[in-house]
Amino acid sequence: MNEVLKDYYNIDVITIISVSSSSYKIKAKQGSYFLKYVTSSSLENIINKLAMLHIDTFNYIIKNNWGYYVTSNDDISFILSNSIEEDNVDAKEIKMKMFINKIANLHSKSFFTLDVSKDFFIETFEFIENKLIDVSSYLEQLMEMIEKEDYKSPFEWMFVLNYGYLKSCMDKSYDYLQKFKTSCENKTSIRMVLAYLNFDYSHILVKKEKIISIENMVNAPPIYDIVDMIDKGYSNNFDLSSVLEQYHKVFPLQEYEKMWLLALLFIPKVNFNYYSDIDLIKQLIDILEYNKCIEKIESIITK
């Protein structure tokens, strides 16, 4: 790797420190760098598009001596950037607010319209329907198992008491799926954006006002970023719905996108891991609070 960095970047390496199986910190005579292995074949075009649109949200990727952002050598590809130290800001709400504003601006500057066939919508509908079938089957089987037991644990009683609410969330998802289908009856195109699709609080550097780790970025529907952010970034320590309202002010979702998003979000994230009863109760509480948050998001984006 030392010779590769010298050939492609004129960097004289002093030490290489492994951060993970795919990322490394490089200390060189010229400074400190961060190297990340990548697999996306479209990443070169994505980074060029970011540069063309003058989007400076993300850590700057260094071009190699041949003018490319992505360097390929011996069947591996990687990107190199200047190393940015973590800023030790732990407050998730502050990070989330910064992230959502940056992503809303990214979407508003990069969106375009893509023509799609009926097959695209059919496959999208089927994906949601299959998720609904899987979760519905899981809930029903768990309920049937609990009903057969003579003695019910505290978790099982709590599940029975909240079963109706979970089913009502499933019903809402199904209703929004039908509305999504109706709104797409005559559609032949959808909006696409540069989607980040790599949410992690450690990727958000508040003091530098930068987001790192762009290796998953692709052209995709905007709701994909929202779902990714909510699934990975949900916290009951702050009101995520008010944060998402800021996104909606910068980049309002179209009607079919709202229905699509809510059809996905209302499906309960049930997958109980059978440890102690206390653990199961905590998992159920998290699921219930998550779906209460989705109800708040629903009220914001449908008003």
Side-chain angles (χ1 to χ4, degrees):
M1 181 58 72
N2 293 30
E3 292 181 3
V4 172
L5 290 171
K6 179 65 175 178
D7 291 342
Y8 281 86
Y9 295 93
N10 296 325
I11 289 175
D12 300 301
V13 176
I14 299 173
T15 57
I16 298 178
I17 301 170
S18 175
V19 178
S20 70
S21 60
S22 62
S23 59
Y24 301 85
K25 284 187 176 181
I26 311 292
K27 184 178 181 182
K29 291 180 180 178
Q30 293 81 3
S32 297
Y33 304 91
F34 190 81
L35 184 149
K36 181 80 174 182
Y37 289 147
V38 297
T39 57
S40 172
S41 60
S42 63
L43 190 57
E44 181 74 31
N45 291 333
I46 295 293
I47 300 173
N48 274 311
K49 189 172 181 179
L50 288 172
M52 182 181 66
L53 294 172
H54 303 290
I55 296 172
D56 61 356
T57 295
F58 307 96
N59 194 19
Y60 177 73
I61 307 301
I62 301 170
K63 284 185 176 182
N64 63 30
N65 292 336
W66 283 264
Y68 293 104
Y69 292 107
V70 179
T71 297
S72 297
N73 180 268
D74 291 340
D75 298 325
I76 63 168
S77 296
F78 64 89
I79 53 177
L80 189 74
S81 61
N82 290 310
S83 180
I84 298 181
E85 297 300 320
E86 296 181 15
D87 54 17
N88 298 319
V89 175
D90 294 325
K92 288 184 175 181
E93 185 172 9
I94 294 173
K95 288 195 168 192
M96 180 63 81
K97 285 181 178 179
M98 189 196 104
F99 179 85
I100 201 67
N101 284 327
K102 296 285 189 183
I103 293 301
N105 281 308
L106 171 68
H107 290 182
S108 67
K109 290 181 179 180
S110 66
F111 81 90
F112 63 96
T113 300
L114 178 70
D115 291 335
V116 294
S117 66
K118 287 185 178 180
D119 288 341
F120 169 83
F121 292 110
I122 292 171
E123 291 174 4
T124 303
F125 300 151
E126 287 180 348
F127 173 79
I128 300 173
E129 287 168 347
N130 289 334
K131 288 193 71 171
L132 280 165
I133 291 169
D134 289 344
V135 174
S136 180
S137 176
Y138 180 89
L139 290 172
E140 289 171 4
Q141 289 176 17
L142 183 56
M143 187 65 174
E144 289 173 4
M145 182 187 73
I146 292 173
E147 286 178 331
K148 291 177 183 178
E149 295 182 355
D150 294 330
Y151 169 79
K152 296 177 177 56
S153 69
F155 161 74
E156 290 169 338
W157 276 118
M158 186 176 179
F159 178 82
V160 170
L161 290 172
N162 288 283
Y163 179 75
Y165 174 71
L166 295 173
K167 293 292 284 186
S168 72
C169 292
M170 297 286 291
D171 291 340
K172 277 196 169 186
S173 173
Y174 180 79
D175 288 344
Y176 279 117
L177 173 59
Q178 302 314 306
K179 291 176 181 177
F180 177 36
K181 288 181 176 181
T182 300
S183 65
C184 294
E185 283 179 350
N186 299 313
K187 285 195 70 64
T188 58
S189 63
I190 61 170
R191 284 200 306 182
M192 300 282 281
V193 299
L194 284 179
Y196 176 66
L197 297 180
N198 197 19
F199 182 88
D200 190 294
Y201 283 107
S202 67
H203 295 166
I204 306 165
L205 307 181
V206 175
K207 292 180 181 178
K208 298 289 186 180
E209 294 191 5
K210 294 289 184 182
I211 298 172
I212 60 173
S213 297
I214 65 170
E215 60 272 12
N216 290 353
M217 191 175 287
V218 294
N219 290 309
I223 69 153
Y224 286 15
D225 251 344
I226 299 175
V227 172
D228 182 69
M229 177 199 72
I230 294 174
D231 281 351
K232 298 175 183 176
Y234 168 74
S235 171
N236 58 10
N237 293 324
F238 62 89
D239 185 3
L240 183 58
S241 62
S242 64
V243 175
L244 192 60
E245 188 172 17
Q246 298 304 310
Y247 173 94
H248 200 54
K249 288 178 180 178
V250 175
F251 189 69
L253 293 175
Q254 295 182 356
E255 191 64 20
Y256 81 95
E257 292 168 334
K258 296 176 184 179
M259 302 303 105
W260 189 358
L261 175 64
L262 291 170
L264 287 168
L265 291 180
F266 265 113
I267 301 175
K269 305 295 187 291
V270 289
N271 186 19
F272 296 108
N273 296 310
Y274 285 81
Y275 300 118
S276 70
D277 207 58
I278 293 175
D279 288 334
L280 291 171
I281 290 172
K282 288 179 179 177
Q283 290 174 42
L284 180 54
I285 290 172
D286 286 344
I287 291 166
L288 296 172
E289 290 183 345
Y290 175 91
N291 275 82
K292 293 292 184 183
C293 174
I294 302 307
E295 290 178 348
K296 291 182 179 179
I297 291 173
E298 174 193 27
S299 67
I300 286 171
I301 69 176
T302 58
K303 66 182 178 183

